[in-house]
Amino acid sequence: MALEITDSNFEEVVLKSDKPVLVDFWAEWCGPCRMVGPIVEELANDYGDKAVIGKVNVDENPEISVRFGIRNIPALLFFKNGEIVDKQIGAVPKSVLAEKLDKQM
C-alpha cells in the first residue's frame, strides 16, 4: 500500500530515502487523480522493498505542494537521493510510471 506522505514526514520519507521514491500529489475532488490512484497502489505492491511509493493530499499538505510548485494534479514526482529526477503531470498508463521508476533503480 502506498504511504501517506505529509508536510511533517516528507523529509524523512522522501528526501532521506536510500531508495527511489515516487510521490503522487492528488486531491479527493480530482477526477484524473482517482484514475491514477489505483495504479499508484499497484506500483506500491509491485515494487515493495525496492522503492518508496507515496501519496500527498495537496489539500491537507499545502507546504509540500507549494515547495515543489505543484499547480496541476495529479502530479507524480520521482526522487532519487533527495533530488527530483523525473516527473509526470496528468493521468497515464501504469507502464509509463513503471518505466520511469525502473530508470531510477
Side-chain angles (χ1 to χ4, degrees):
M1 187 169 160
L3 294 171
E4 182 178 344
I5 299 174
T6 64
D7 286 341
S8 60
N9 73 3
F10 185 85
E11 185 166 336
E12 191 65 39
V13 173
V14 178
L15 300 182
K16 292 184 178 177
S17 176
D18 57 352
K19 301 174 192 166
V21 182
L22 167 57
V23 180
D24 173 21
F25 288 83
W26 70 286
E28 294 279 343
W29 47 264
C30 167
C33 297
R34 288 195 294 265
M35 292 167 44
V36 170
I39 294 170
V40 172
E41 292 296 338
E42 285 179 32
L43 290 170
N45 291 332
D46 294 350
Y47 284 85
D49 296 334
K50 296 184 286 187
V52 175
I53 312 291
K55 298 170 70 82
V56 173
N57 183 320
V58 296
D59 292 333
E60 296 173 2
N61 301 283
E63 191 179 299
I64 304 169
S65 305
V66 169
R67 179 175 173 183
F68 291 100
I70 303 300
R71 290 184 182 84
N72 299 306
I73 54 174
L76 298 112
L77 301 185
F78 297 80
F79 290 82
K80 188 167 187 180
N81 301 320
E83 300 289 326
I84 296 174
V85 291
D86 204 348
K87 67 180 172 183
Q88 178 66 52
I89 307 299
V92 293
K94 179 180 177 182
S95 59
V96 172
L97 299 177
E99 184 178 319
K100 288 177 178 279
L101 202 49
D102 288 342
K103 285 182 184 175
Q104 307 314 320
M105 296 295 167

